[in-house]
Amino acid sequence: MFDVAAVRRQFPALQRTVLGRGPIFLDGPGGTQVPQRVVDAMVYYLTACNANHGGAFATSRESDLLTREAHLAVADLLNGDPDEVVFGQNMTSITFHLSRSFARTLRPGDAVLVTRLDHDANVRPWALAARDAGAEVRFVEVHAEDCTLDLDDFARKLDGKVRLVALTCASNAVGTRPDVKRLARLAHDAGALVYLDAVHHAPHGPIDVRDWGCDFLACSAYKFFGPHVGALWGRRELLAELSPYKVRPAPETLPDRWMTGTQNHEGLAGVAAAVDYLASLGTGADRRQRLVSALSAIQDYEAGLVRRLLAGLAQRPRFRVWGIQGEEGLSRRAPTVSIAASDRTPRQIAEHLAGRAIFAWDGNVYALELAERLGLEGHGGFLRLGLVHYNTAEEVEATLRALDEL
């Protein structure tokens, strides 16, 4: 187990005061805070080697080395190869980019399979791609009582017409973690490709694209303690086979054929620093081993936090908890808990917490299909409490006390 006090000292934002007290950041699902090393890496890039890609001169060459390190770092994070890692503005933009190319392979009679559990960034790009190609969009339903995927419905809708299955690794709204390894195997058996959204999973546990058997996986660095940069891993043969929309001078080699336009180089320097920060919390002979060690320890630590939060909410029946509850379900959920109250809107609860320097998101949090399925769209959506590894048990107790004051 890592030293949480030592972790917190590395985050400048955690040292500030708001309303005369140290703020409690429960807004991590919308974007985490960053350690000082990420800030330093970005400042170093901008002050020492701020240059465009591919030049013959010193700063351009240094810039290329630093951005190459980002590919190596994310490859270690995901257990892929560096030339299979593509960067872009964010996960949403990258997914739209890839889906536009994938749409060219769809034909009338084909289908794509998405879920009502996912963030809309892993729904709408595929739905629009199918629409443009005259293909069908199918939705996997969820069980409203615990916000888990209806696996019988998944099996019914997965047939030889489905060309791609889009799945979340962890719900950004209610924390549900589907068994993506099993579902990917079923999809492949039916002849479909698998696109995983790991944005919400990335700060909470190890990722292994080889073991999970997916074809693509996307995440965002600003959810795992880095800057606003999106990352996509794809199987090399698929990235080489699909035809990207790009300018003519852009290289045809991987990964550059998918990274058209000047990249956010200072952001990529920050991405590498964020991965190195995570690795610094673990042990092992190489960075991949240290990352797995660190993220496994993070997963164990956060399980204790969410156990405490769920137990406290269970003692407060005024609040309804959406999603998996109970000790037996902890391994199937991320430490993200969404609640509602019959006498307050999510925005009113968020404003109450904000008045006590507790930061939490309200709304549909872009999980639009789920909010609609649960009857929450148009009624304020969720009040989302998102724990990450720099949160503490004391912060959980302070949040519960603040809810008692509502």
Side-chain angles (χ1 to χ4, degrees):
M1 193 66 71
F2 53 86
D3 183 341
V4 179
V7 163
R8 290 178 62 84
R9 287 193 293 270
Q10 297 185 57
F11 287 79
L14 304 187
Q15 316 311 317
R16 66 172 297 189
T17 59
V18 175
L19 302 175
R21 66 185 83 183
I24 297 175
F25 291 89
L26 301 182
D27 62 335
T32 51
Q33 303 307 306
V34 303
Q36 185 64 49
R37 70 171 67 197
V38 170
V39 178
D40 292 343
M42 296 177 71
V43 170
Y44 175 81
Y45 178 86
L46 289 170
T47 55
C49 56
N50 184 21
N52 215 323
H53 173 58
F57 49 93
T59 51
S60 180
R61 289 178 175 177
E62 292 165 4
S63 176
D64 286 346
L65 287 174
L66 283 178
T67 56
R68 171 65 176 172
E69 176 55 31
H71 287 269
L72 292 166
V74 173
D76 285 343
L77 180 69
L78 307 181
N79 197 27
D81 292 332
D83 62 349
E84 296 175 315
V85 173
V86 174
F87 291 110
Q89 183 179 0
N90 46 56
M91 179 271 181
T92 304
S93 298
I94 289 177
T95 305
F96 269 114
H97 184 194
L98 186 75
S99 71
R100 188 182 185 198
S101 296
F102 180 74
R104 297 173 65 181
T105 73
L106 292 172
R107 300 291 180 268
D110 291 339
V112 296
L113 185 59
V114 297
T115 87
R116 299 201 189 279
L117 185 64
D118 277 71
H119 188 290
D120 210 51
N122 203 31
V123 175
R124 208 53 46 199
W126 308 113
L128 293 175
R131 181 201 67 184
D132 293 347
E136 179 187 0
V137 183
R138 300 177 183 176
F139 284 86
V140 179
E141 298 296 335
V142 298
H143 298 293
E145 62 273 15
D146 63 358
C147 298
T148 58
L149 286 180
D150 184 335
L151 298 183
D152 291 334
D153 191 52
F154 180 88
R156 280 193 300 270
K157 291 173 178 172
L158 181 64
D159 59 24
K161 295 182 179 180
V162 174
R163 296 282 311 287
L164 181 138
V165 176
L167 295 166
T168 185
C169 299
S171 166
N172 74 303
V174 294
T176 306
R177 279 187 171 124
D179 186 349
V180 293
K181 182 176 179 179
R182 176 191 173 198
L183 296 177
R185 185 169 60 249
L186 293 174
H188 284 158
D189 288 346
L193 298 176
V194 176
Y195 190 99
L196 296 183
D197 172 5
V199 172
H200 193 62
H201 176 90
H204 301 302
I207 295 173
D208 192 333
V209 294
R210 306 298 186 196
D211 181 60
W212 292 359
C214 57
D215 300 290
F216 302 97
L217 181 143
C219 57
S220 292
Y222 74 102
K223 302 296 180 71
F224 59 82
F225 320 105
H228 287 84
V229 174
L232 168 73
W233 172 88
R235 284 201 289 120
R236 180 181 290 102
E237 57 269 32
L238 292 173
L239 292 177
E241 174 185 320
L242 287 171
S243 179
Y245 285 79
K246 69 180 188 66
V247 295
R248 285 174 58 196
E252 275 294 336
T253 54
L254 292 176
D256 299 286
R257 71 194 306 259
W258 289 96
M259 294 173 56
T260 57
T262 301
Q263 296 295 305
N264 177 5
H265 293 165
E266 63 272 25
L268 295 184
V271 170
V275 173
D276 281 338
Y277 159 73
L278 286 170
S280 75
L281 304 180
T283 59
D286 57 34
R287 183 163 55 191
R288 173 63 187 172
Q289 291 180 12
R290 293 192 295 274
L291 285 165
V292 172
S293 167
L295 286 161
S296 297
I298 284 172
Q299 195 164 345
D300 290 343
Y301 173 72
E302 291 175 347
L305 292 182
V306 76
R307 179 183 294 112
R308 181 183 291 261
L309 178 58
L310 289 171
L313 290 169
Q315 296 171 2
R316 293 161 171 83
R318 177 185 185 185
F319 300 101
R320 174 170 184 173
V321 176
W322 298 102
I324 297 171
Q325 302 176 56
E327 181 72 23
E328 71 284 353
L330 285 180
S331 63
R332 297 186 293 119
R333 61 140 48 246
T336 303
V337 178
S338 285
I339 64 173
S342 61
D343 59 343
R344 294 290 191 279
T345 67
R347 174 49 63 100
Q348 288 173 327
I349 302 174
E351 290 173 343
H352 170 79
L353 293 176
R356 286 147 182 79
I358 301 172
F359 304 160
W361 283 104
D362 65 282
N364 62 33
V365 297
Y366 280 69
L368 181 59
E369 297 291 339
L370 182 61
E372 290 177 339
R373 172 66 179 86
L374 299 178
L376 300 176
E377 187 63 13
H379 299 280
F382 308 90
L383 185 285
R384 183 177 65 182
L385 306 172
L387 297 161
V388 295
H389 74 288
Y390 53 58
N391 292 120
T392 66
E394 291 76 17
E395 291 181 330
V396 171
E397 294 302 325
T399 300
L400 291 169
R401 290 195 299 272
L403 289 173
D404 288 339
E405 297 169 358
L406 184 66

